[in-house]
Amino acid sequence: MRSARQPAVGKSRAQHSAAPLLAAMDLLGQRWMLRVIWELEPGPLGFLELRRRMGNCSSSMLSVRMQRLQEAGVVVKKPDKSYELTEAGTELGQALEPLWQWSQRWGADLEGAAGDA
């Protein structure tokens, strides 16, 4: 008989209830994804301007990330070739606001802790 503190053998809680959250975390956990959303949140940008704002993200990596975000329905490429957030992407950008506020309070304590990952 297992104690109340031991988890049941088999599927985790996340496997039962959080498949959409896990999918979002898998997408957004890829390097540069959240940065793209952050940069596009104020409004559309062309690829070159977005690339300039992304710092040391290579053009080829940014291209791959933009394709993946388009496939996920978070970003759309407009006829003028600029990129903008979809409704889902805009909502995601707004969801980053509390994280930004948290970082303003605690971010100095984190500087250097993440490395260049």
Side-chain angles (χ1 to χ4, degrees), residues 3 26 41 52 58 71:
S3 76
D26 285 346
E41 201 273 330
R52 187 186 68 75
S58 70
E71 291 167 0

Side-chain angles (χ1 to χ4, degrees), residues 9-80:
V9 176
K11 292 186 176 182
S12 70
R13 184 187 105 170
Q15 288 172 314
H16 286 292
S17 63
L21 176 60
L22 294 175
M25 288 170 42
D26 285 346
L27 174 69
L28 300 174
Q30 295 174 46
R31 189 166 187 183
W32 304 112
M33 293 299 209
L34 287 173
R35 177 72 181 270
V36 167
I37 293 160
W38 182 257
E39 296 295 346
L40 290 176
E41 201 273 330
L45 292 172
F47 185 87
L48 293 177
E49 177 60 19
L50 180 58
R51 165 66 185 86
R52 187 186 68 75
R53 293 181 185 200
M54 296 292 291
N56 64 349
C57 179
S58 70
S59 293
S60 60
M61 176 59 73
L62 181 56
S63 181
V64 168
R65 294 303 187 235
M66 297 310 293
Q67 182 63 39
R68 182 65 189 102
L69 288 168
Q70 289 176 81
E71 291 167 0
V74 175
V75 170
V76 65
K77 189 172 185 180
K78 296 171 44 172
D80 68 0

Side-chain angles (χ1 to χ4, degrees), residues 69-92:
L69 288 168
Q70 289 176 81
E71 291 167 0
V74 175
V75 170
V76 65
K77 189 172 185 180
K78 296 171 44 172
D80 68 0
K81 304 214 185 219
S82 66
Y83 292 91
E84 78 176 337
L85 297 176
T86 62
E87 182 179 352
T90 298
E91 193 171 324
L92 179 56

Side-chain angles (χ1 to χ4, degrees), residues 92-106:
L92 179 56
Q94 293 166 351
L96 293 176
E97 181 66 23
L99 182 59
W100 180 83
Q101 290 174 1
W102 180 88
S103 74
Q104 296 304 295
R105 181 170 180 189
W106 300 102

